[in-house]
Amino acid sequence: MKETATVEVKGDITNTFLKTVSAFANFMDGKIIFGISNDGEIKGIKNPTEACLSIENKINDSISPKPDFSLKVNPRTNVITLTVYEGMDKPYRYKGKAYRRSDTASVEVDHKELQRLTLLGEGRYFDGLPARVSSLTFHHLGEALKQKLEVADISTDILKTLNLYSERDGYNHAAELMADGNSFPGIDIARFGKSMDVILGRKQFTHQSVLLQFKNAVETYRTYYIYEEIDGVERKRREMIPEKAFREAIANAIVHRQWDIDANIRVALFPDRIEIHSPGGLPFGVTKEDYLRGYVSVLRNPIIAAIFFRLRIIETFGTGIWRIRQAYSAYEAKPRFDITDSSVNVTLPIIEASRRVTSEQQMILNLFKGGRILSRAEVSTQCGMEKNKVLRLMNGLIENGYLKKMGVGRGTQYYIE
């Protein structure tokens, strides 16, 4: 059995599993399976009934507050499965420390993450915390409300309805972010030549309303990736990158980023792609698999998300990745999503690249239709080209986002996403 972010295997019972109990209780449901060695050999646990009692006592004595969990024994193999459920009373600590999963390891959270866990345990979010200022103006929000919802003027009652203001606490961080001016970071856009060594221009949209940040980012995109083409007697608008995909990617970056990190959303404009880097990794409780399937049910900034939804900047909570993929559904080039512990990165390739696929590359792509997964040798045999040439052509397709590969060495296989 292979370990993952949500599955850990243990050959026997030692206290090391308690870090993982803390991690699962803090962030996501997970399983710890006792009686399977790291190489996958099923060994079982002697006296599993007593062992379950020992596991339960270790958790009750060592994890505070007590997490919700269950134990199950396979009577045939004596393998014990401990299922730990994500809890509401975060942070769950082992020896005074809270843990999270980093791939297949359980590591201590840093100070920022501990603060965020504490907020979640209290049912609060960063964008709902009291603001650092008491005087704000909302010209851009007012214009957006007037245009989209026909709201005449910004009033205290409107701000309360939008959850930006309360009588007890005054403005919150979401109000600061929606206000015309604030002290938060924003969006840093740089335009490059063929590589990052060639910088053609740079724009920064910081300390301003997130609504204005979004608008300015879209206008910058339109400057470089939309053009008009004369087709007969008609002038037609052409998109080098789907605007729908760019809008979704920028909106997602604003709504889901960690606003307590003093770093800008970075947007890199290249002749063949746009790269968008959002600070903060994934929201708590969202796995890479959930994200890549387009399922983001956990909102990091629910107040900001709700306003973006009201203003129809985002259409449905948690569907941004799906909508980006849909925008590329008619093209060979596909978007790429890369997730690290500290950032979420989206790459949007130009759709015009589909026209620059050579006839030989198109022949290779045709072999993968219908969801086929092939090795380099199989591609070489089926298209009648030598292996080195096939490898060169396939590497070009991978670089431009048409083809994906998995595995290493002789086990490497290729597919179209």
Side-chain angles (χ1 to χ4, degrees):
M1 175 174 287
K2 184 179 179 182
E3 287 193 322
T4 68
T6 56
V7 176
E8 183 167 277
V9 297
K10 296 287 187 183
D12 50 22
I13 300 170
T14 65
N15 286 346
T16 57
F17 82 92
L18 293 166
K19 294 180 181 179
T20 304
V21 172
S22 165
F24 289 154
N26 281 324
F27 292 98
M28 66 189 75
D29 298 352
K31 297 180 185 296
I32 305 171
I33 303 174
F34 300 93
I36 299 179
S37 63
N38 288 334
D39 59 7
E41 180 186 356
I42 298 177
K43 300 166 54 178
I45 297 294
K46 292 181 180 179
N47 301 318
T49 301
E50 293 182 12
C52 284
L53 183 59
S54 174
I55 291 170
E56 185 172 351
N57 288 336
K58 286 177 182 290
I59 293 174
N60 291 340
D61 293 342
S62 304
I63 306 293
S64 179
K66 180 184 175 181
D68 188 14
F69 63 92
S70 63
L71 286 159
K72 184 178 180 181
V73 178
N74 184 322
R76 185 174 58 84
T77 62
N78 282 353
V79 167
I80 300 172
T81 299
L82 167 64
T83 302
V84 182
Y85 304 99
E86 182 183 354
M88 301 292 291
D89 300 321
K90 302 174 174 66
Y92 293 85
R93 304 172 191 252
Y94 168 55
K95 291 186 175 180
K97 298 177 180 178
Y99 290 83
R100 64 175 175 83
R101 293 290 277 176
S102 178
D103 199 8
T104 60
S106 296
V107 299
E108 184 182 354
V109 302
D110 61 24
H111 180 66
K112 283 279 188 188
E113 286 178 308
L114 184 59
Q115 288 180 322
R116 295 164 190 156
L117 280 173
T118 302
L119 283 177
L120 286 178
E122 296 170 353
R124 298 192 296 165
Y125 297 85
F126 178 80
D127 68 348
L129 295 180
R132 295 163 288 190
V133 295
S134 58
S135 179
L136 296 171
T137 61
F138 298 94
H139 170 75
H140 296 290
L141 176 59
E143 287 296 312
L145 291 172
K146 186 182 299 183
Q147 180 182 359
K148 297 292 180 66
L149 302 178
E150 298 182 356
V151 174
D153 295 297
I154 289 279
S155 65
T156 300
D157 286 340
I158 292 295
L159 293 174
K160 288 179 180 179
T161 300
L162 296 175
N163 291 317
L164 298 176
Y165 182 86
S166 71
E167 295 290 351
R168 187 186 70 177
D169 297 325
Y171 295 118
N172 54 29
H173 285 156
E176 283 189 88
L177 288 161
M178 288 289 164
D180 300 326
N182 57 62
S183 59
F184 285 99
I187 301 176
D188 185 358
I189 300 181
R191 191 163 70 94
F192 299 94
K194 290 186 177 180
S195 74
M196 299 189 82
D197 295 328
V198 182
I199 302 175
L200 302 177
R202 187 172 184 179
K203 295 181 179 180
Q204 286 190 324
F205 307 117
T206 58
H207 310 313
Q208 60 183 217
S209 170
V210 289
L211 297 174
L212 184 57
Q213 291 178 31
F214 177 78
K215 178 181 177 182
N216 286 335
V218 172
E219 288 179 352
T220 303
Y221 150 84
R222 288 173 176 168
T223 299
Y224 299 110
Y225 295 95
I226 289 182
Y227 64 94
E228 291 187 341
E229 182 178 76
I230 303 298
D231 185 1
V233 296
E234 295 184 10
R235 185 184 295 273
K236 294 187 176 180
R237 182 181 187 268
R238 304 294 188 192
E239 297 178 353
M240 297 172 66
I241 287 174
E243 180 171 331
K244 178 180 176 180
F246 181 81
R247 290 174 63 91
E248 288 287 344
I250 288 294
N252 271 4
I254 291 171
V255 167
H256 293 301
R257 67 155 291 169
Q258 288 280 15
W259 282 104
D260 58 359
I261 297 175
D262 188 19
N264 292 323
I265 296 167
R266 293 185 295 110
V267 181
L269 310 180
F270 293 94
D272 63 343
R273 69 192 186 280
I274 295 176
E275 296 178 0
I276 300 168
H277 306 271
S278 178
L282 294 176
F284 291 148
V286 177
T287 66
K288 292 181 181 180
E289 292 74 20
D290 289 337
Y291 175 84
L292 293 174
R293 286 198 302 266
Y295 180 69
V296 183
S297 60
V298 179
L299 295 175
R300 177 174 278 149
N301 303 292
I303 299 174
I304 297 172
I307 293 174
F308 270 50
F309 176 72
R310 284 173 180 262
L311 296 176
R312 297 190 287 278
I313 296 172
I314 58 177
E315 295 196 15
T316 308
F317 295 140
T319 62
I321 304 308
W322 179 82
R323 294 178 64 80
I324 291 170
R325 284 188 163 139
Q326 280 294 106
Y328 277 87
S329 61
Y331 306 104
E332 295 283 356
K334 301 297 180 185
R336 189 174 75 244
F337 306 94
D338 301 300
I339 302 107
T340 70
D341 288 342
S342 60
S343 67
V344 175
N345 311 302
V346 179
T347 300
L348 305 176
I350 64 170
I351 57 180
E352 287 194 343
S354 302
R355 304 173 189 171
R356 294 201 292 270
V357 172
T358 67
S359 59
E360 291 176 326
Q361 287 178 318
Q362 188 60 57
M363 184 190 305
I364 290 173
L365 288 174
N366 290 340
L367 297 177
F368 292 91
K369 290 184 176 179
R372 299 180 71 195
I373 299 175
L374 302 171
S375 67
R376 183 185 65 173
E378 288 172 326
V379 173
S380 179
T381 299
Q382 294 183 38
C383 68
M385 296 184 224
E386 63 177 19
K387 291 182 180 180
N388 287 339
K389 182 176 182 179
V390 166
L391 181 61
R392 186 174 67 253
L393 294 171
M394 291 173 71
N395 283 340
L397 291 170
I398 291 169
E399 184 178 346
N400 287 318
Y402 304 130
L403 202 60
K404 302 288 183 182
K405 74 174 182 177
M406 59 183 176
V408 294
R410 292 181 178 273
T412 302
Q413 292 183 304
Y414 302 82
Y415 64 98
I416 293 177
E417 191 172 48

